[in-house]
Amino acid sequence: MNVQRLLIALGLLILMAGIAWPILSRSGLGRLPGDVVIHRGNTSFYFPLVTCLLVSIALSVLFWLFNR
């Protein structure tokens, strides 16, 4: 029963992220100074380091507030 709820919650989370993606992409999140972008030939590598840090800090604060 717990695995079913986990899968449903994970599916809803992915659905919400897919719906919010166009809105978040217009906000500039993901193209911050400090994000790693490497272009070589026909390939490119992108790692949003600063964006990951900001999202991690925001989620940590939210979870801390909800657990109080």
Side-chain angles (χ1 to χ4, degrees):
M1 190 68 162
N2 289 335
V3 174
Q4 292 171 343
R5 288 185 183 180
L6 176 70
L7 289 175
I8 290 171
L10 186 61
L12 290 174
L13 183 67
I14 291 171
L15 177 68
M16 289 177 7
I19 291 171
W21 188 263
I23 297 166
L24 292 176
S25 65
R26 280 186 251 137
S27 71
L29 193 64
R31 282 173 261 150
L32 297 174
D35 291 345
V36 178
V37 181
I38 300 172
H39 297 286
R40 291 198 180 153
N42 294 333
T43 62
S44 62
F45 174 76
Y46 177 72
F47 184 73
L49 182 65
V50 174
T51 302
C52 289
L53 289 173
L54 288 178
V55 169
S56 175
I57 290 169
L59 288 175
S60 296
V61 168
L62 283 174
F63 287 140
W64 179 75
L65 287 174
F66 286 127
N67 283 332
R68 285 187 89 195

